Amino acid sequence: MDRIQAEQRVTELNEQLRGYGHAYYVLDKPAVPDSVYDQLMNELIELETLYPDLIFPDSPTQRVGGTPISNFDKVTHALPMLSLSNVFNEEDIRDFDRRVRSGAGDNIEYVCELKIDGLAVSLIYENGQFIRGATRGDGRVGEDITVNLRTVRTIPLKLRKSESLEVRGEVFMPKKSFHALNAERGERGEELFANPRNAAAGSLRQLDPKIAASRNLDVFIYGIGGDAESHGLSEHEETLQFIEALGFKTNNERQVCRSVEEVLAYIEKWTEQRADLSYEIDGIVIKVNRYLQQQELGFTAKSPKWATAYKFPAEEVMTTVRDIELSVGRTGVVTPTAILDPVSVAGTTVQRASLHNEDLIREKDIRIGDKVIIRKAGDIIPEVVSALVEQRTGDELPFEMPENCPACGSELIRIEGEVALRCVNPQCPAQITEGLIHFVSRNAMNIEGLGEKVIEQLYREGLIADISDIYKLTKEQLLNLDRMGEKSASNLIAAIDASRSNSMERLLFGLGIRHVGERGARILSEHFGSIEKLMTATFDELINIHEIGGKMADSIVAYFETEEVQQLMQRLAEANVNLTYTGTRVRVEEGANAFAGKKIVLTGKLEKLTRGEAQSQIEALGGKVSGSVSKKTDLVIAGEEAGSKLAKALELKVDVWNEERLIEELSK
Ligand code: IVH
C-alpha cells in the first residue's frame, strides 16, 4: 500500500472507528462485535506506525494518554461557571416555583435532571475539534486539563458537525470502576479514595494522562457555556438534543415537567431509585426550560434564578465518640470536635465531627464514650445529631470546656451575645498559625505547597512570625524542614514569588480582617484600587459603598488604625508584595451615560439584540440589570409582547424605553 492509499484508508478507519466508538461508549449500543472493532483498531495502529505523519490528533488511537506535562495552565472562563442555589424540601421547591412564576409568568416548563456527583468541566470545540477542556476552579479561573479529558471516551475529539462552541458537563467515575480501583489500591497498600467524586477529581489532577486514561472516567454534558440562542436554540431541552446530535453524551433520565407536582414526583422517584444507578447522584437539578423565561429571571451574583438544586437529605449513621478535642481558630474561637470511631456516611469515611460550641454539647448532652447519630450536613462537614442516651453504660464522661486556651494558656472569654469561647491573646500561636494558613490558602494568596504542616513547622522553628516573613524565606531554610526535598523547596520558593504579584483582593481577603470575606475584599479593592487608599478610608466613606455595611466598615477602620498593622503593610511593601488592584475594573461615573449607576429591567422580546448582548452592553456602561420591577427600578426596556413587568413599570411610573431607544443610547 502506498502513502496515498494509506492516507485514504486511515481517514476511512478514523471515521468508522469514531462511529463505532460513539455507538459503544456514548449510546451504549454497540454497532459491531468487539472483535470487529479491535480488528479495525489494530489495522489503524499498524498504518499509523508505518506512517506516523498520518496520526491525526483526533484519531481514536490517541485516547491512551500522551506524554506527561509539568503543570496545568490556568484558564479564564469566557463566562463564569456559576453554581446552583440549593433547596432541601418540598416547601423550598414550592417557594422556588412561586418565585419563578412571579418573575416569568405562569406558563412554565421545567427540565428536571439528575445532579451528577462529579466534577464540573468546560469543553471547547473549534470547527468541530476538541481544543481545550478545563476544570471549574473558582468559577472564573480553572485549570487546563485537556490532556486528561482527551482520555475520556465519551468526550468526542471530533464533533459530527463542524460547530464551534463550549459545552459544560460533569465528569464522574462509575460506581463499579470506583470499587475496582479501590480494591486494587488496597491490594497495593495505597491510600483509598473516599468516594467516586474524589477518585474522579484525583484522576483528572494527574500530570500523567496515562493515569487518567486507566481510570475509566465518564461524562454527562448538561449545557452550553455561552449563548445557546446563537445556535438557533430557544429551550434547554432542545439544546440537550442539539448537543446529543453533535455526538455528546447527555443524561437520558431527564424529564420535562409542566407543574411543580410533576417536579416533586420526579424527585420522589429518584430518591427511591438512586441506589440502582451505576453512578452517584447527590440531588436533582430543576431548570426553567425556555430561554426567554430564563432571561426574565436572570441571575444573582452566584447562581441563576431560573434553576436550583434539590439536595438529597444527608445520610445518618451511628458511631461512638472516643474523645473531644479542642482547636483554636484564626479568630481565637475555641471549637470542640468529636473524635469518632470511623464510619462510612454517604460514601465518605468520617472520623471527626464538629460540635460547634459548649452550648451545643450541653444541650445535646454529648459525652465521651456515647453512641451518637452523625449526619453529613450539606455533604461537607459531618455533625453530631444526638446522643443515644438509652444506650449508655454509665462509663461515659461529661465534657467541660476548659477555662484557659488549649494553645497558649490565656484565659478564655465569652463575648457578649456570642456562644463561642474565645482566646483574645493576639500572640496565641494557634491563632497565628491559623491566620498564616488562611493567608496562603487557595482563595487568598494561593501559595501552593505551603500546607498546614509546613506552616506549623516554619512557625515552630521561628522562621515565620507573621505573613511578611513568608516573603523572606530562603530555599536553604526550607531544605532544613522535615520531608522537604530540593524540588519541593524550589517549587515553593517559586510559588511564594509568584504570589507577590497577586491582585489586591487576594491579599485583602488573606489578611483575615473580621467580616471581610472574598466578596467584600473584591468590592473594596475595585473601589479603592490600593491598600494605601483603603488604609485612610473613613467609616462614612466605607458605608457609602454599595454592599459594604456598618460591621465591615467598623472592622476595617479598627484594623488599619493599629500601629502593628501599618508596620506590617510597610514590611509587605518592602518585600515587593503588590498592594494594588490589578484585576479588570468596570467603573463608570454616574451620569457619564444614560445607564451608569441605574437599575434597569429588560422585558419582552428584543429583535436586534439578544438579552445577553443587551445586558452585557448595559453593564459595560455601568448599569445594573435586574430581574424584577420595583420602586427602585430606574428604567425598563420593553420589547415585543412585554407583559406584567411593563404593566408594573407603568403603574410605578418608571421610565420605559423600546429597543430602538436602547440601541440609540447604547451607540452614543
Ligand atoms: S447545571 C449555572 N446540571 O452541580 C450552573 N449542574 O452547583 C449550571 N451538576 O458544580 C449547572 N449535575 O457541575 C447542572 N445536571 C446538572 C448537574 C450539575 C451536576 C453540578 C455542576 C455544579 C453543581 C451545581
Side-chain angles (χ1 to χ4, degrees):
M1 192 184 279
D2 63 22
R3 215 202 96 94
I4 299 191
Q5 286 168 322
E7 179 160 0
Q8 206 173 12
R9 182 65 185 145
V10 166
T11 313
E12 224 169 72
L13 287 167
N14 263 285
E15 285 309 316
Q16 271 177 2
L17 285 164
R18 204 177 345 269
Y20 294 154
H22 179 260
Y24 184 89
Y25 292 108
V26 178
L27 307 177
D28 204 12
K29 278 199 202 109
V32 289
D34 289 4
S35 55
V36 172
Y37 184 87
D38 292 345
Q39 210 179 339
L40 295 171
M41 185 64 117
N42 285 335
E43 189 185 342
L44 178 59
I45 293 172
E46 254 169 54
L47 285 171
E48 288 181 341
T49 320
L50 269 173
Y51 300 102
D53 60 324
L54 293 181
I55 306 178
F56 301 116
D58 55 9
S59 159
T61 61
Q62 299 305 295
R63 296 266 193 192
V64 283
T67 33
I69 54 170
S70 57
N71 69 310
F72 298 122
D73 287 339
K74 297 264 184 279
V75 289
T76 303
H77 301 298
L79 282 176
M81 291 181 76
L82 301 176
S83 56
L84 293 171
S85 60
N86 289 324
V87 288
F88 296 97
N89 51 42
E90 180 177 336
E91 198 190 336
D92 292 351
I93 294 166
R94 289 190 185 277
D95 282 348
F96 168 72
D97 177 58
R98 264 191 288 275
R99 284 196 301 276
V100 164
R101 285 174 199 276
S102 82
D106 223 18
N107 185 8
I108 294 285
E109 263 175 25
Y110 295 108
V111 180
C112 287
E113 295 171 13
L114 303 182
K115 185 165 183 296
I116 314 298
D117 197 9
L119 262 95
V121 293
S122 130
L123 309 175
I124 295 181
Y125 288 79
E126 258 173 36
N127 303 320
Q129 300 285 335
F130 177 43
I131 59 150
R132 199 182 75 197
T135 60
R136 173 175 186 275
D138 63 4
R140 293 192 324 125
V141 179
E143 286 182 320
D144 183 337
I145 50 164
T146 313
V147 287
N148 287 334
L149 290 174
R150 285 178 61 88
T151 70
V152 179
R153 302 272 170 180
T154 37
I155 294 181
L157 299 178
K158 186 177 176 189
L159 301 181
R160 316 191 115 197
K161 283 190 215 129
S162 171
E163 289 274 0
S164 297
L165 82 172
E166 176 186 351
V167 294
R168 292 176 177 179
E170 197 87 352
V171 169
F172 63 96
M173 187 179 283
K175 289 179 191 167
K176 213 161 122 195
S177 315
F178 164 71
H179 291 302
L181 173 64
N182 258 358
E184 240 176 69
R185 290 173 76 86
E187 265 168 36
R188 286 201 299 262
E190 292 169 4
E191 209 177 312
L192 301 189
F193 284 113
N195 54 44
R197 191 199 20 217
N198 287 0
S203 308
L204 287 179
R205 239 179 263 124
Q206 296 288 336
L207 291 168
D208 181 356
K210 292 208 172 46
I211 300 183
S214 74
R215 291 285 169 83
N216 199 18
L217 297 172
D218 204 342
V219 75
F220 284 121
I221 301 299
Y222 53 62
I224 288 187
D227 194 358
E229 285 171 314
S230 65
H231 297 274
L233 301 161
S234 58
E235 290 178 356
H236 179 60
E237 173 58 32
E238 195 189 350
T239 297
L240 292 173
Q241 285 169 19
F242 168 76
I243 288 173
E244 268 166 27
L246 291 175
F248 291 107
K249 180 168 168 178
T250 60
N251 188 292
N252 283 321
E253 311 298 352
R254 66 178 183 270
Q255 188 181 310
V256 175
C257 294
R258 292 188 171 80
S259 67
V260 70
E261 287 346 297
E262 280 181 45
V263 171
L264 292 167
Y266 180 88
I267 290 176
E268 196 181 339
K269 169 178 163 186
W270 286 107
T271 305
E272 276 164 25
Q273 296 182 12
R274 73 191 266 222
D276 304 335
L277 289 166
S278 63
Y279 44 87
E280 295 265 10
I281 59 171
D282 59 347
I284 301 296
V285 181
I286 309 160
K287 304 174 180 171
V288 168
N289 193 16
R290 285 188 277 271
Y291 291 142
L292 266 175
Q293 291 176 322
Q294 289 190 0
Q295 286 154 5
E296 295 236 295
L297 291 158
F299 296 83
T300 68
K302 286 197 200 128
S303 52
K305 293 190 193 164
W306 43 263
T308 194
Y310 166 79
K311 297 295 262 301
F312 290 128
E315 233 181 88
E316 295 186 354
V317 295
M318 190 183 75
T319 184
T320 306
V321 176
R322 285 291 160 220
D323 198 0
I324 294 180
E325 263 183 20
L326 295 167
S327 59
V328 185
R330 171 162 68 83
T331 56
V333 171
V334 179
T335 312
T337 300
I339 308 299
L340 308 165
D341 274 352
V343 274
S344 173
V345 200
T348 353
T349 305
V350 166
Q351 312 200 41
R352 305 163 68 83
S354 173
L355 293 168
H356 302 291
N357 55 55
E358 190 183 10
D359 285 11
L360 187 129
I361 300 180
R362 206 168 303 136
E363 197 181 297
K364 295 191 171 171
D365 187 21
I366 295 162
R367 304 181 185 182
I368 297 170
D370 262 347
K371 290 246 181 322
V372 290
I373 301 287
I374 65 156
R375 170 168 64 199
K376 272 185 78 197
D379 31 51
I380 322 170
I381 309 159
E383 62 180 18
V384 176
V385 181
S386 61
L388 298 173
V389 178
E390 63 284 358
Q391 295 209 24
R392 284 196 178 140
T393 60
D395 293 337
E396 295 75 17
L397 294 173
F399 177 76
E400 289 277 325
M401 280 296 262
E403 286 177 3
N404 298 85
C405 171
C408 71
S410 64
E411 198 183 335
L412 295 178
I413 296 191
R414 193 187 271 249
I415 296 177
E416 230 184 85
E418 287 187 9
V419 277
L421 276 180
R422 234 178 243 282
C423 166
V424 292
N425 169 16
Q427 302 305 327
C428 171
Q431 282 180 60
I432 296 175
T433 46
E434 288 299 322
L436 289 162
I437 291 166
H438 169 75
F439 182 75
V440 303
S441 66
R442 185 161 156 207
N443 295 346
M445 292 301 265
N446 193 20
I447 306 182
E448 228 171 292
L450 207 45
E452 247 170 76
K453 292 273 172 307
V454 183
I455 293 264
E456 277 164 10
Q457 233 189 105
L458 287 167
Y459 181 77
R460 233 184 301 122
E461 313 257 326
L463 293 172
I464 50 174
D466 66 43
I467 53 175
S468 71
D469 294 333
I470 293 174
Y471 294 97
K472 295 187 198 128
L473 288 170
T474 64
K475 192 171 154 190
E476 288 63 40
Q477 286 174 323
L478 293 179
L479 282 171
N480 282 331
L481 303 179
D482 300 344
R483 286 194 292 275
M484 179 72 74
E486 181 72 32
K487 185 130 196 272
S488 326
S490 303
N491 287 347
L492 183 45
I493 291 287
I496 293 174
D497 205 36
S499 77
R500 283 183 223 265
S501 47
N502 281 344
S503 180
M504 169 179 166
E505 66 278 16
R506 285 186 170 274
L507 175 79
L508 185 55
F509 173 60
L511 292 176
I513 306 170
R514 284 190 77 186
H515 305 299
V516 182
E518 255 179 283
R519 191 170 161 69
R522 178 175 287 276
I523 293 169
L524 290 165
S525 303
E526 281 180 8
H527 186 93
F528 290 98
S530 72
I531 292 278
E532 199 187 345
K533 291 231 172 69
L534 174 64
M535 281 174 86
T536 55
T538 62
F539 178 85
D540 287 345
E541 245 174 285
L542 287 163
I543 52 162
N544 273 325
I545 302 169
H546 184 60
E547 287 188 76
I548 305 291
K551 266 192 186 171
M552 205 197 298
D554 254 339
S555 166
I556 291 165
V557 172
Y559 181 82
F560 284 113
E561 243 170 29
T562 47
E563 177 111 19
E564 291 91 70
V565 168
Q566 290 171 7
Q567 285 164 359
L568 179 65
M569 295 305 124
Q570 185 66 37
R571 288 199 296 279
L572 285 172
E574 282 161 14
N576 283 327
V577 175
N578 169 44
L579 304 180
T580 62
Y581 180 68
T582 52
T584 42
R585 148 172 24 190
V586 193
R587 263 185 70 202
V588 183
E589 291 300 322
E590 205 160 321
N593 58 56
F595 307 96
K598 296 214 167 126
K599 280 222 165 85
I600 298 160
V601 174
L602 296 165
T603 181
K605 231 188 197 145
L606 300 181
E607 301 281 314
K608 303 211 172 62
L609 292 173
T610 66
R611 268 298 171 88
E613 284 163 354
Q615 173 159 358
S616 57
Q617 290 191 33
I618 290 171
E619 285 171 351
L621 290 169
K624 276 200 120 180
V625 175
S626 65
S628 56
V629 178
S630 74
K631 273 189 266 170
K632 291 194 186 140
T633 308
D634 296 302
L635 176 61
V636 169
I637 314 287
E640 291 298 310
E641 296 166 36
S644 61
K645 291 188 189 180
L646 174 59
K648 183 138 188 218
L650 295 172
E651 183 194 319
L652 294 170
K653 300 205 168 64
V654 174
D655 261 356
V656 178
W657 294 359
N658 60 13
E659 184 177 5
E660 209 177 318
R661 174 85 191 274
L662 170 70
I663 292 175
E664 199 182 300
E665 292 288 342
L666 283 173
S667 52
K668 266 188 186 166

